[in-house]
Amino acid sequence: MKRRNFIEGITLMSLISTFNPIKTWAEGKQDLDATSLNAGSSDRKYWYKLLHKISSPVISALAAGTLKKNMPLDTSPSFDSRSPSVSYLEAVGRTYAGIAPWLALPDDGSEEGILRKAFRAEAVRGLDNCFAPGSADALNFTKDYQPIVDSAYLAHAFLRAPKALWEPLKTETKKAITESFCSLRKRKPFENNWLIFGSITEAFLLSIGEDVDSKRLSEGVDKLNSWYKGDGWYGDGPKLAFDYYNSFVIHPMMVDTLAVLLEKKQIDKNKYELALKRMQRYAVGQERMISPEGTFPPIGRSITYRTGAFQALAQIALMKKLPEQIKPAQVRAALTKVKRNMYESRGLFDANGWLQLGFCGHDPEIADYYTSTGSLYMATLSFLPLGLPEQDEFWSAPAMDWTAKSAWSGNHFAKDYHVEY
């Protein structure tokens, strides 16, 4: 199936789960109570309402033409010399990348469906507004290097939901976005994960039939492959960085860039499949890093991006490519617990619903020198499985313990192993 139509092209019947809760319970793989059979529906409602809560300040303000008026511009105490105005594009690109799969679902008459339809309309109107000539919310693509990053997230959103977010835009909006993306070619990405930002932006342009910068398109893929360290980890540059950038950026953008190249017959299928296998292996590690209590290590840079750290696991679940030893219901249960621990903490949102600098709460001191309010909307990237319909096994199967919870409960869990690719 062509990547461009992946989400919209999945038929409902092909996603209906064949999971047998009675057999699973009988085999002793999970301990179910009477309410757990409805947990998937409850979890989904929690997820989409939470996603709407996080992203609506950005989307609704953009739709009303008041993003710059309403969005606070809080910056890290160590914020560098870049213009704070880059924060607005950060908020837009990152939010759209996270909500795209959900908005790509077809309309229906449910509470969720009605909310989603209205939110999609706001999202499209917001883009038309901010790219209109003379817009008060005009986004910065010309100053500093940061727009290279967040153009890539916006491009990723269009790849994830072309029919929902790209095709409905006005012709003049599409032209303005395309020209803005092309203008970035005058600035070279840094020699690290930034190279894949250039690649995925060019991949999007390729997907809509625009001329591309072939070197920029291929350089991110080629360099990351040369920096691969094994066991699902790419170096962030020549050296390994023990942080979440393999999930924030590298795996999702690598796989989706290659998906476009494969669709356009510019690479061999094996190259895409290798990247996918590496991402699956990384997802195994991500799932195992979630503690029995539903927490995860605050390691490395950019921990203010919060649950965006699980984008790779979330995307593998969305693609229905979870490794055999990981069941969708255990990923749902684990990420739901993480979200509850994270987003129900005090100080995470300000009085107007905007995310605040910090990790599990408000703590500006842990923000990096490049972090501002808009940066925080990377958090939406853990909500990608909302692009699966409610009938999918991810949502419909009874709750299951995730690996660490099973292990620390004295129950059987899948053995881990090193992978050579």
Side-chain angles (χ1 to χ4, degrees), residues 188-200 214-230 233-240 246 250-251 254 257-258 261 271 274-275 278:
K188 180 174 171 53
F190 302 122
E191 290 285 316
N192 53 24
N193 70 83
W194 278 49
L195 290 171
I196 200 67
F197 295 136
S199 292
I200 197 167
S214 298
K215 181 179 179 182
R216 201 174 180 95
L217 174 62
S218 62
E219 188 174 23
V221 171
D222 294 342
K223 281 286 189 178
L224 283 171
N225 276 323
S226 73
W227 295 332
Y228 185 67
K229 304 304 178 186
W233 284 78
Y234 290 94
D236 192 356
K239 295 183 179 180
L240 177 69
N246 267 265
I250 296 173
H251 280 293
M254 179 76 152
T257 295
L258 289 171
L261 293 175
K271 193 168 186 177
L274 177 61
R278 289 172 173 176

Side-chain angles (χ1 to χ4, degrees), residues 72-279:
L73 260 187
D74 295 334
T75 58
S76 162
S78 59
F79 200 70
D80 65 10
S81 60
R82 74 190 69 196
S83 169
S85 68
V86 301
S87 193
Y88 300 114
L89 179 56
E90 285 185 284
V92 172
R94 297 169 190 217
T95 301
Y96 276 77
I99 65 176
W102 184 50
L103 298 187
L105 286 176
D107 293 335
D108 61 60
S110 66
E111 177 188 7
E112 176 189 345
I114 293 168
L115 179 67
R116 185 175 61 242
K117 182 179 180 180
F119 206 46
R120 185 193 308 124
E122 279 195 310
V124 171
R125 185 165 65 252
L127 289 175
D128 281 333
N129 283 351
C130 71
F131 282 97
S135 171
D137 282 338
L139 302 173
N140 168 31
F141 289 88
T142 59
K143 296 179 182 178
D144 302 300
Y145 281 76
Q146 185 64 36
I148 295 173
V149 176
D150 298 295
S151 294
Y153 283 102
L154 186 55
H156 208 172
F158 295 142
L159 286 172
R160 284 173 168 163
K163 293 186 182 298
L165 291 176
W166 177 253
E167 293 180 12
L169 295 174
K170 296 177 181 178
T171 301
E172 52 267 37
T173 303
K174 294 177 182 177
K175 184 174 184 291
I177 292 173
T178 300
E179 290 175 349
S180 296
F181 286 178
C182 289
S183 73
L184 298 167
R185 294 170 180 166
K186 298 176 183 177
R187 280 156 284 171
K188 180 174 171 53
F190 302 122
E191 290 285 316
N192 53 24
N193 70 83
W194 278 49
L195 290 171
I196 200 67
F197 295 136
S199 292
I200 197 167
T201 304
E202 294 295 330
F204 166 68
L205 293 172
L206 177 65
S207 75
I208 60 171
E210 294 289 329
D211 292 334
V212 300
D213 181 331
S214 298
K215 181 179 179 182
R216 201 174 180 95
L217 174 62
S218 62
E219 188 174 23
V221 171
D222 294 342
K223 281 286 189 178
L224 283 171
N225 276 323
S226 73
W227 295 332
Y228 185 67
K229 304 304 178 186
D231 229 8
W233 284 78
Y234 290 94
D236 192 356
K239 295 183 179 180
L240 177 69
F242 189 53
D243 54 32
Y244 293 107
Y245 272 79
N246 267 265
S247 189
F248 290 143
V249 180
I250 296 173
H251 280 293
M253 290 193 176
M254 179 76 152
V255 165
D256 287 349
T257 295
L258 289 171
V260 174
L261 293 175
L262 180 60
E263 179 186 350
K264 297 298 182 180
K265 298 181 170 33
Q266 294 195 11
I267 59 166
D268 184 87
K269 187 178 180 181
N270 290 337
K271 193 168 186 177
Y272 171 81
E273 289 181 342
L274 177 61
L276 179 59
K277 287 179 182 178
R278 289 172 173 176
M279 187 174 175

Side-chain angles (χ1 to χ4, degrees), residues 279-295:
M279 187 174 175
Q280 289 173 310
R281 174 57 185 156
Y282 183 80
V284 169
Q286 285 227 296
E287 191 270 345
R288 286 173 179 258
M289 289 179 76
I290 300 173
S291 77
E293 298 78 23
T295 61

Side-chain angles (χ1 to χ4, degrees), residues 49-60:
K49 284 185 174 289
L50 178 57
L51 178 60
H52 187 265
K53 176 182 178 179
I54 292 170
S55 54
S56 61
V58 176
I59 300 301
S60 295

